[in-house]
Amino acid sequence: MKGGGGGGVYSGKRRWRGLVIAVLGLVFLSMLVPLLFLLGLHNGFHSPGSEQQSSPSIGLGGYGTKIIIRDASNLSEGDRSNHVDDLVKQFAPTLSKDILKNISHPAENETKSPSAMHDNEEKKGFSVTPHDDLQSLPIENNPKAGASVQIIDYAKGGVDQSGKSCELKFGSYCLWREQHREDMKDSMVKRLKDNLFVARAYYPSIAKLPSQDKLSREMRQNIQEVERVLSESTTDADLPPQIGKKLQRMQAAIARAKSFHVDCNNVDKKLRQIYDLTEDEANFHMRQSVFLYQLAVQTMPKSLHCLSMRLTVEYFRSPFDDTEASLADKYIDRALQHYVIFSTNVLASSVVINSTVMHAKESGKLVFHVLTDEENYFAMKLWFFRNTYKEARIQVLNMERLDLNNQKLQFSLPVEFRVSRSIDAQSRTEYLSTFSHLHYRLPEIFQNLEKVVVLDDDVVVQQDLSTLWNLNMEGKVNAAVQFCSVKLSLLKSYLGKNSFNKNSCAWMSGLNVIDLVKWRELDLTETYQKFVKEVSYIVSTQEAQSEAVALHASLRTFQDLIYPLDGSWALSGLGHDYNVDVYPIRNAAVLHYNGKMKPWLELGIPKYKGYWKNFVNRDDQFLTDCNWNS
């Protein structure tokens, strides 16, 4: 029993050893086959005794690269073997069997004619690059290094800044970037800020390393120097001449700091701290810029304030003969064309009158009534006394001294109401100009007139307006250009739940023909005051309340009483829209600079300012004294 058991164990061990030997044999064969394959491939690349006169290229059309093999006759046998081994290790996983077959039999390709070779390559989907084309392709490796293998972008797009291949083909980002590439302005300042940001993040961690006191002091010194430079310079032109060396020293210090093992949590905390400080600073500057913008658009420029003050002083210094009494009959003559302008800006009202007179066929029929406040009344009087506008007549009225039924009037300018709307997921801002409270006293101010044309002081007239006086308004009261991009449905929060046509277009002031006779028949002044009382509770703030009330009451008062003028009569948006086309501007009868960026402000849109400045009397001595021309 014992002997039999021992024999069984011995026979089992022999079978186990046989299996181990078989497995080792298979492993050896699996290693031998690739070696034989590599030796065969090596013999295929360089057959003994043959000389290659040209550099054959194998184009991999589907892979977007080319492999170029140069003459390797100067290399030793061992170098060539190692080079081929490296090549196969790098590119063998992506090479098909047909490609390897062609590589391993170059002698067959050399015996074929060029035309036959070309046909064969086309059938297999490969392209053969001529020798001349190879010379023009970019070379990444040393051209003197014998048999070198280079990877060249198929579309000759080269390599982008990040080191990735960049194909210049239709629809690629690389092509778009090349076509829209812009030179970065103040690139050195931006690089200094970026490196300063990184240096600040690493400095606390380096400062905690006792063995790196020298590097810590160097980084602190670099940070202080760059901070001082950036506090004095905002553009590359302001930077000192040796700033390049300072940037290099900071970059070297940052590179050394990155080589140390520091606590990532400390760097992360510092980066977050700097980010929070930067975000707070950006928010502060944003709020400051908004405040300064509002201050700039609401404050009269220094030159215009100087003009108004100089004219007022001169009015009282040298009294002149007032001719108002001799022209009183013309101011109420119904046969003449009467234009009404509400303004506190001497120069703006002058441009409106000058542009209207310059395009009028008969300037003798024009009468302008400039309504202003007491502060600017004397400046207006002297300006229009010193400057003549052909045969037109100009009357200046002080609204705060005018009594209507024993009621003092408070002067107010046309109201501009800002409306935001969304178009294709983008927000767009529009400015609606509407009548102020004082506009609704026109029938009382001009009791002897039947029709007037109301012009805002931010318009420029480019055509003759005499045809407006022959306009058949079909029983309507107000002829105005409708603003159909803003429907009344967008204003429902300001119009309340009252009944109105939500699809109706808003109308604009700026150019309005008013039928005073029809106005008096309908008693629209009383209607307006009734709507003002009803809607006074809409908003809480006083400034917003005045605008909202004026918009609501005006749209409700003239509901169904607007005669729509053709859009070519008045073009609006030149005070806020940068994208107004030139063709509509040239063909519009009136240009309306509604918005915050008026043409007499420095913030005015530059490409629209010329249409306004063409009608400024630059020769006036007061403008020169106040440096307006400069």
Side-chain angles (χ1 to χ4, degrees), residues 56-69 87 90-96 99 121 125-129 134 137-138 140 149-159 163-167 169:
S57 65
I58 303 172
L60 308 181
Y63 295 88
T65 58
K66 291 183 179 179
I67 301 176
I68 300 176
I69 304 175
L87 174 66
Q90 186 174 0
F91 295 103
T94 60
L95 300 179
S96 62
I99 299 174
E121 293 297 340
F126 305 126
S127 61
V128 179
T129 305
L134 295 178
L137 290 174
E140 297 178 0
V149 179
Q150 305 170 7
I151 302 176
I152 301 177
D153 187 72
Y154 188 77
K156 297 185 179 181
V159 179
K164 299 180 180 179
S165 61
C166 185
E167 298 185 5
K169 63 181 182 180

Side-chain angles (χ1 to χ4, degrees), residues 129-147:
T129 305
H131 181 70
D132 294 336
D133 291 340
L134 295 178
Q135 300 299 330
S136 62
L137 290 174
I139 299 177
E140 297 178 0
N141 297 332
N142 187 358
K144 298 181 180 180

Side-chain angles (χ1 to χ4, degrees), residues 20 49 211 232-233 253 285 305 359 415 418 430 444 457 466 475 572 583 587 591-592:
V20 171
S211 60
E232 300 173 354
S233 306
H285 287 296
H305 180 73
H359 294 93
V415 179
R418 190 174 58 138
E430 303 286 357
E444 303 173 55
D457 64 350
S466 60
S572 61
Y583 180 78
N587 291 275
L591 301 179
H592 191 188

Side-chain angles (χ1 to χ4, degrees), residues 231-293:
S231 65
E232 300 173 354
S233 306
T234 57
T235 61
D236 287 354
D238 301 333
L239 294 174
Q242 301 297 329
I243 191 61
K245 294 183 179 180
K246 293 183 180 180
L247 178 60
Q248 292 178 359
R249 290 197 297 268
M250 173 172 277
Q251 290 177 342
I254 292 174
R256 291 170 55 191
K258 290 182 177 180
S259 63
F260 293 99
H261 296 285
V262 297
D263 189 357
C264 294
N265 292 329
N266 294 337
V267 178
D268 178 70
K269 291 179 181 178
K270 188 61 179 179
L271 286 173
R272 292 181 182 276
Q273 180 184 4
I274 297 174
Y275 173 78
D276 293 338
L277 292 175
T278 305
E279 186 177 15
D280 294 340
E281 185 178 0
N283 292 333
F284 167 76
H285 287 296
M286 182 179 65
R287 292 192 299 268
Q288 186 183 47
S289 64
V290 171
F291 170 75
L292 294 176
Y293 172 79

Side-chain angles (χ1 to χ4, degrees), residues 418-473:
R418 190 174 58 138
V419 179
S420 298
R421 57 193 180 94
S422 297
I423 300 178
D424 298 333
Q426 293 183 353
S427 179
R428 183 177 178 85
T429 301
E430 303 286 357
Y431 286 86
L432 286 179
S433 298
T434 186
F435 286 171
S436 67
H437 302 305
L438 189 58
H439 283 71
Y440 291 91
R441 310 303 294 269
L442 286 175
E444 303 173 55
I445 298 172
F446 303 102
Q447 298 178 5
N448 298 316
L449 300 181
E450 297 179 350
K451 180 182 290 187
V452 294
V453 173
V454 181
L455 298 173
D456 288 353
D457 64 350
D458 57 352
V459 303
V460 173
V461 179
Q462 298 188 127
Q463 296 179 16
D464 182 29
L465 302 181
S466 60
T467 55
L468 292 175
W469 299 94
N470 301 322
L471 187 66
N472 182 11
M473 298 176 60

